[in-house]
Each structure stands twice: as C-alpha cells, then as structure tokens.
Amino acid sequence: LVHQILFTVKSMMWAMFLLLIIIYLFAVSFTQAVNTHRLDEGWASFELAEHADSRFHKYWSSLPRSMFTLFMSITGGVSWE
C-alpha cells in the first residue's frame, strides 16, 4: 500500500512539473507579446501603459505575474470582469 502511494506521488510530481513547464512557456510568450505591443505603441514605461490599458499591466507585465495569471485562469481564480 505504501509503495503504491509513493508511486502515485511520483507520477503526480511529474505531472505538476510538466504543467509548470507549460505555464512557463505560455507566460514567456504572453509577456513577450505584451511587451512588444507596448514598445510598438510607443509607451516608454508601464506607468504610461497602465493608463492606456490597465489589464496589460495587471495580468501580463512580468513573467511571474503572467505565470500567476495563467495559474489562476486554470484553477478558476480569475474573474475576467
């Protein structure tokens, strides 16, 4: 019984690792897209971007924030207004 529980925990850890890698890759992609859009629009800093569209700043301004946004969207923790 203990052996089966440990085997299951090992599989769960690999699944969580894979999910983390997927979230990381999408967060990099979304953060890069938002920063490219910000630079194309001529915003010098996120203070200006915050006034232009606060959702960019709130959800996608940095890599950790993007990862947290993706995690919250997966788990149902984000209300998209």
Side-chain angles (χ1 to χ4, degrees):
L1 179 66
V2 173
H3 177 65
Q4 293 299 321
I5 291 173
L6 290 176
F7 183 74
T8 303
V9 169
K10 180 182 170 186
S11 297
M12 183 186 69
M13 288 298 159
W14 278 111
M16 289 176 61
F17 178 72
L18 181 62
L19 182 61
L20 180 68
I21 294 297
I22 292 169
I23 288 174
Y24 174 77
L25 291 175
F26 275 95
V28 166
S29 175
F30 290 150
T31 304
Q32 182 65 36
V34 167
N35 283 321
T36 301
H37 175 72
R38 179 180 62 92
L39 292 174
D40 288 345
E41 291 294 320
W43 297 331
S45 66
F46 264 116
E47 287 77 27
L48 294 175
E50 189 174 358
H51 295 298
D53 193 350
S54 64
R55 290 174 293 167
F56 283 158
H57 184 73
K58 182 178 180 182
Y59 295 119
W60 311 108
S61 63
S62 67
L63 186 59
R65 188 172 288 186
S66 295
M67 289 179 70
F68 185 65
T69 299
L70 289 171
F71 174 75
M72 294 294 286
S73 67
I74 290 170
T75 59
V78 173
S79 174
W80 295 106
E81 284 98 34

